[in-house]
Amino acid sequence: MPKPPITNAQEHEAALAAIELLLEAEPGTPECDELCQLVYEYEEIHYPMN
């Protein structure tokens, strides 16, 4: 899932728009599922449950 780094203002704006869609996602939508997956992966790395 790694994405290339943001290299210009246009890519930055696109990234912000994508984040906004994820944060406003309704439960049960693909966007919500993507946000949940991102959070899960982050927590698995930074807050593993033994």
Side-chain angles (χ1 to χ4, degrees), residues 6-27:
I6 296 170
T7 60
N8 59 49
Q10 195 170 30
E11 291 173 357
H12 181 250
E13 287 297 319
L16 291 176
I19 290 168
E20 188 173 334
L21 285 176
L22 291 177
L23 293 175
E24 295 176 355
E26 294 290 326

Side-chain angles (χ1 to χ4, degrees):
M1 180 183 285
K3 307 276 187 208
I6 296 170
T7 60
N8 59 49
Q10 195 170 30
E11 291 173 357
H12 181 250
E13 287 297 319
L16 291 176
I19 290 168
E20 188 173 334
L21 285 176
L22 291 177
L23 293 175
E24 295 176 355
E26 294 290 326
T29 62
E31 294 82 8
C32 184
D33 293 345
E34 182 179 353
L35 178 59
C36 291
Q37 184 65 35
L38 290 170
V39 170
Y40 174 79
E41 290 173 5
Y42 177 87
E43 289 178 349
E44 282 290 298
I45 293 167
H46 299 281
Y47 304 102
M49 297 188 70
N50 296 327

